[in-house]
């Protein structure tokens, strides 16, 4: 028997309301049209489903027997449709993010939009340059410049961030509301290769010799120690607030430095449909600038 699922749904709504007028309003149909649709279903089944009277509408014995199965039929049809869509589309996306970036709002919104999908995250340090190429992540939120070649990748600019001076609280500029690059002319600033951070070379403090320059395998915390002890300063993206938790380090906005770009990187030929949604979410939830204020003790 060919049963029209649309008619079955109409039947369950009328059964729920016990009134053709209220059911028609719920279904955005005219009441005469709804009555005709129910009559079609009754003709298909060969039974009368409702008793109609001036007092209202009630289920017949046949209608009461049909109702549980009708609801199951609609539920199974919806489940089958979801299963088919899931089989045709990847349901998982792993989002990598570089040090200093916070992607929580983006991930929460992506999960809200795709409740049947799986949105995973993977924190990467600056040395983990093969995660995207090796398929350990499907997308990466990172700062430019990128520490890997971009052949075969799609790089989408999400937004720009201003920069902040990161220095010890004893530095002469630590109490400024903002600074310009001219105020840093005494510092020997050196850009790190393939990162958005600019460091000054270490210098002596109070007659002591300068410590060695940061090595390639030094951790972020090791480098912060050089800043906190007054041996060097750095210029960071304003969104990287990891240093703000330290009471011996100050963050001061830099007003005339080129901004840092935050980008979303994906494989150019990746058909995963969640990536299109991810790009939209990233622009909305990662693309808004927050005001940068001086952070001093």
């Amino acid at each position: 028997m060919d049963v029209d699922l649309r008619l079955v749904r109409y039947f369950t709504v009328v059964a729920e309301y016990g009134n053709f007028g209220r059911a028609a309003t719920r279904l955005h149909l005219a009441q005469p049209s709804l009555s005709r649709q129910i009559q079609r279903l009754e003709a298909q089944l060969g039974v009368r489903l409702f008793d109609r009277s001036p007092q209202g509408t009630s289920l017949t014995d046949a209608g009461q027997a049909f109702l549980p199965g009708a609801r199951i039929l609609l539920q199974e049809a919806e489940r089958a449709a979801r299963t088919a869509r899931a089989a045709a589309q990847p349901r998982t996306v792993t989002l990598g993010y570089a040090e200093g970036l916070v992607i929580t709002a983006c991930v929460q919104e992506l999960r809200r939009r795709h409740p049947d999908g799986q949105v995973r995250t993977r924190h990467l340090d600056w040395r983990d340059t093969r995660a995207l190429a090796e398929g350990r992540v499907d997308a990466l939120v990172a700062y430019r410049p990128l520490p890997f070649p971009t052949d075969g990748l799609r790089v989408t600019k999400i937004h720009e961030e201003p920069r902040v001076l990161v220095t010890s609280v004893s530095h002469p500029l630590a109490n400024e509301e903002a600074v310009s690059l001219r105020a840093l002319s005494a510092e020997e600033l050196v850009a790190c290769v393939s990162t958005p951070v600019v460091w000054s070379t270490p210098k002596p403090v109070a007659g002591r010799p300068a410590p060695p320059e940061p090595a390639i395998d030094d951790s972020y915390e090791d480098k912060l120690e050089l800043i906190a002890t007054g041996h060097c300063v750095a210029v960071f993206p304003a969104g990287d607030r990891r240093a703000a938790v330290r009471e011996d380090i100050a963050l001061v906005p830099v007003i005339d430095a080129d901004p840092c770009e935050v980008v979303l990187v994906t494989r150019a030929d990746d058909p995963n449909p969640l990536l299109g949604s991810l790009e939209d979410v990233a622009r909305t939830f990662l693309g808004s600038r927050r005001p940068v204020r001086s952070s001093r003790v």
Side-chain angles (χ1 to χ4, degrees), residues 88-269:
Q89 300 178 355
R91 299 177 57 206
T92 300
V93 63
T94 300
L95 178 58
Y97 59 105
E99 293 176 298
L101 285 162
V102 178
I103 61 170
T104 306
C106 177
V107 171
Q108 287 178 329
E109 175 63 13
L110 193 62
R111 286 172 176 161
R112 187 192 68 79
R113 294 189 187 186
H114 301 277
D116 293 334
Q118 294 183 355
V119 182
R120 300 177 177 140
T121 61
R122 184 184 293 272
H123 181 264
L124 305 172
D125 71 26
W126 65 273
R127 290 166 291 195
D128 199 351
T129 61
R130 297 286 300 165
L132 191 59
E134 294 173 357
R136 287 182 282 120
V137 299
D138 302 301
L140 173 66
V141 179
Y143 289 109
R144 269 182 170 150
L146 297 168
F148 48 80
T150 58
D151 297 340
L153 300 178
R154 178 179 177 178
V155 181
T156 304
K157 178 181 172 181
I158 300 301
H159 78 117
E160 293 182 341
E161 286 185 4
R163 297 180 187 255
V164 293
L165 172 67
V166 184
T167 184
S168 72
V169 295
S170 60
H171 193 282
L173 299 176
N175 292 313
E176 298 294 326
E177 287 294 330
V179 298
S180 70
L181 290 176
R182 291 190 302 274
L184 302 176
S185 59
E187 305 285 352
E188 296 182 31
L189 296 176
V190 180
C192 290
V193 177
S194 300
T195 80
V197 178
V198 178
W199 298 88
S200 69
T201 56
K203 57 187 177 182
V205 173
R208 291 177 292 164
E213 292 190 12
I216 193 169
D217 56 350
D218 282 351
S219 70
Y220 173 84
E221 288 73 19
D222 291 330
K223 294 173 182 176
L224 284 186
E225 285 300 319
L226 290 175
I227 293 175
T229 55
H231 286 98
C232 70
V233 300
V235 178
F236 278 20
D240 187 342
R241 306 291 292 179
R242 289 175 292 173
V245 300
R246 295 191 53 151
E247 295 183 352
D248 52 0
I249 288 178
L251 308 181
V252 184
V254 180
I255 58 177
D256 54 357
D258 291 336
C260 301
E261 288 188 1
V262 177
V263 296
L264 176 69
V265 190
T266 59
R267 291 179 288 273
D269 58 353

